[in-house]
Each structure stands twice: as C-alpha cells, then as structure tokens.
Amino acid sequence: MNTRMEVANIDRGYAWVVLVAAFCLQFLVGLLAYSPGVMNIAMLDEIENDLTKTSWVGSINFGTCTLLGPVAGLIQDKVGSRGTALMGATFTFLGMTSASFCRSIVGLVLTYGFISGFGLCLACNVVGVVAGNYFLKRREIAYGVCSAGGGMGLFVSGPLVRYLLRNYNLSGTLLLLGAVEFHMCVAGVTFRPVRHGHSQSMTVTPKEPAANEIPDESDSSVHQQATNAEPLLIKKIEVDDTNEFELTDQRRHGSISSSHDKVSLSPPLYHPEKKGIKARIGSVFIAFRIFKQVSFLMYNISLTLWTLAESAAVFHLPYYTQLKGSSSDQAATVFTAMGFGSVISRISAGLITSDSKIPHIIIQVGLLGISGMIVLFFPLYSNTYSTQLVFGILYGTYSQGINTLIGPIVLDLVSLKEVPVAYGFAFFFQGIGYILGPPVASWIYKLSGAYDFTYVFAGSSMVLSSVLAAAVGVVRRKDLQRMDARTLDVKQDDVKY
C-alpha cells in the first residue's frame, strides 16, 4: 500500500488560515472573559447589591474556563479541534442566552458562570493546541498571534459592554453577547480533523518536504536518511489522500537522538481504539503521570498564584476606580488601555520566545516580577483618572505576555504527545486562582474597608509567583541533568553487553 505525505500546510499554506481562525477564536474568548468586571456593576444595580455574591458570577465564569482544562484536554483528544471548538461555541451560546432570562445570582452563576465558562474552556484549549500542530519553525510567533486575540478582546470588551449596558440593560447585553460568541462556530469549522490512519516511522529533512512517496510495507527501506539537517518526526501519516498527519519537532524534548538516523514513533497517550470503562479510567490516570516531573507541578502552582493576583486586581478594578472618583465610562476605558498594552505584550512575547537563546521561563520570571511591583504600588498612584490609565497600559504591557508563554513553556516541560492534557492541567491550576481571587478580594475589602489592601495582596502574590517560576528553571535543569546521566549509563551498559 502506498502512503501519501503532504507537508505544504506546516508553517505555510492552510496553516495561516488556521492561525487567523485561532486569533478570532481567542478574540471572542477574551471579549467575554474580561467583561464580568464591567458587568459586575450592572449586577449590583439590577440584581443584588451584595459585592461578595455578585463577584462569584465572574469568578465562576473565569474559574470554570480554566478549572475544567483537563476535561477539555480529554475531550479534544477524543473528538479533535473542530468538534471541541463547535462544542465550546454551543455551550457559550446556551449559557449566555439562558443567563439573559435569570433574575437571581444563583441563576447567573449556573448559566453565565458555569455553562458559558465551560464553553470558553473548550475554545481556549483548542487555541492552545492547534498552533503547535500547524507551526514548527514559527511556533512561538504563532502562539503570540493567537494570544494577541485575547488582548484584542480585552481592548474591545470594556467600551462594548458599557455601550450595550447603557442601551439594552443587563438582560439584553447578555443575550447579544451570546449571539456574538456563537460566531466561534465559524472559526471552529476551519480546523481540519486529524484522522488516525496507518502509522509508520520515518525520518525526513526539513529542507526536502516535497518528497511525498513512501515505499510499500513490503519494502525494507521504509526509513530515509537525513544528511544535512536535524530530523523531524512525522507523528501521523495518512493511509490515503484524505487523511492528515502532524509534523512535529521534538528535538527540544530529546525525543530524537542525533546519533541515530531512524526514528520510532512513541505510542499515543490515549488509545481511541480501546473500549470499555476500565480502559478509559486507565487513560485518565495515565494523564496524571506528568506530575512526576516536579518542574511541571511547580510551574502550575506559579500559575495559580499569578491568576489569584490577576483576578483579584482586575475583576474589582472598575469598582475601585469609581471609588477613586472616575465615572463608569472612564472605568471601562481603563480596560481599553489595558487591552492596548496586552496586544503589544502578547505579540512581543511571541517574538522574544522565538529566540532559542532566551529561556522561556526566564521571560516569565521577569514579566511576573515587574507586574507584581506595578500592582503592589498601585494604591499610591490610583487617585486620578490619568494615573489609572497609566496603570492599565503598564499592567497590560507586562502581565498579559504571560498568556503567550504558557504554550511554549508547557512544550518545554512535557513531551509533545502530552501537550493537550498538560495544557489542560495548566488551565486547571489557573482556574483555582481565578475562582478564588474575586471572593478573596471582596473578603479583604470587607475586613479592611479599603480596596488598597486588595492590591497589596495581589501584588505580593504575583511577586511570589515570579520567585516560584525562577525555581522552576533551576529544578528543570537538574531534571535534565539526571535524565542525561541515566541515558549515558544505559548507553554504557549497552556497550558492555
């Protein structure tokens, strides 16, 4: 049987269509994810005047978006990117539409918070994975462009939500946002499904992607010699002209040995062909094996501290700026300023991470540290609208680039076959912070009577996250040294044998 191989869509061709679709998908996610802070004011006016209760709506929305990341990873591993994106659009639409008819905080938590939050979770997981599937040499830049969609959503969300609330009240705003979010279906259909066909092992060079013929199974020379470049791993190869495959570079993870020309494919993390409850439960437990890597666990704890700080600071920002004398429209424009800085930060982070000489985790350490200081000292310069805008620009510029770094850092810490689930776990740990941040901030405000202490807490948490991220780099280097030592021992034993 002859097997056809196409590489035209890696870093070019249809990959750019996927990149635009992922950008739009992330834009719609950011548009809704960053709107609860502005809508919280309307909830206080129209639903219930209790800051702690209304803060749960936004925290459940963002928390569900991230907390159910492992579930989204398992779903995407089973149904693919297209099906997951369409499911996300459907859940978001149903959640927002149902929320428009709710007149209680409990109803909003269930619909706006949980149902639509799960839809956003599915969409976010798709964006985090497809860039790695369709881009190889430009992977980091692709992550930056995708992440910039979220920054653009932050840029638009404040003024748009304020306009909708002013003209259509809370119920109409929720209904219209549900209709807008349903356009995620348009982006989702562009993600071509990956069908599982007959897989073979082979090595090709990145300079010769046009070689599209593979010998029959009966031919003993299935492997091709790579002479002038490092090899690339063909992870999935289709049986016929309709099936797709993924071209992936695993040199960063040490999956390809420079002393061998032949490459053997590792088995996938999950096996769709297995049936029965025991096999499925077993695949779930296999997913938790990635936490044997201490560096990956520490990185996720760092993400939790970051999102705890960000949700505490950003969610209550409109209410805080109004207490300082700004109007509701001015409070919304602070988010616009933050979105402007966010777009610059996410794209710049993508460009910087494309430089292999700069460790990704070091970039995150710097961004977290600077962002923490900006938040920590915000009460000292928050008394005027102009300085609030300065805070929005500075915080957006330094904090939002972290969103771009999550994908590349996850790729650094785990193997490529574990990325969908590992990315889901990264979202899960972020969700812990997002779901706890707003209520904790409200609790601190009730105890102290001043929002200033909320920002002191948020800034301190972000600085601590920076310190823990720095420790990740140290632990990761030690893990790699131990792996290299074990590999050397195995090779020496083979030579003796």
Side-chain angles (χ1 to χ4, degrees), residues 73 125 128-129 132-133 143 253 269 290 407 410-412 414-425:
N125 207 80
V129 174
N133 288 342
Y143 273 117
H253 309 290
L269 183 60
I290 57 177
V410 168
L411 281 168
D412 288 342
V414 302
S415 63
L416 194 65
K417 64 181 180 180
E418 297 172 324
V419 167
V421 176
Y423 200 82
F425 275 118

Side-chain angles (χ1 to χ4, degrees), residues 42 76 151 181 226 322:
Q76 186 170 356
E181 293 298 312
Q322 289 187 54

Side-chain angles (χ1 to χ4, degrees), residues 476-492:
R476 181 60 177 168
R477 283 196 295 270
K478 291 183 178 180
D479 288 343
L480 292 176
Q481 289 174 357
R482 286 195 294 268
M483 291 173 61
D484 292 340
R486 287 197 297 267
T487 302
L488 182 61
D489 291 339
V490 170
K491 290 183 177 180
Q492 290 176 348

Side-chain angles (χ1 to χ4, degrees), residues 33-91:
Y34 291 108
S35 62
V38 179
M39 281 198 281
N40 188 56
I41 300 174
M43 294 178 193
L44 290 170
D45 295 336
E46 300 184 29
I47 305 297
E48 187 170 347
N49 190 20
D50 189 321
L51 182 61
T52 302
K53 290 183 178 180
T54 57
S55 66
W56 276 107
V57 178
S59 65
I60 292 295
N61 177 269
F62 221 148
T64 303
C65 175
T66 50
L67 204 62
L68 294 180
V71 178
L74 292 172
I75 292 175
Q76 186 170 356
D77 192 70
K78 298 295 183 182
V79 304
S81 298
R82 175 183 291 177
T84 305
L86 296 179
M87 288 176 60
T90 303
F91 273 102

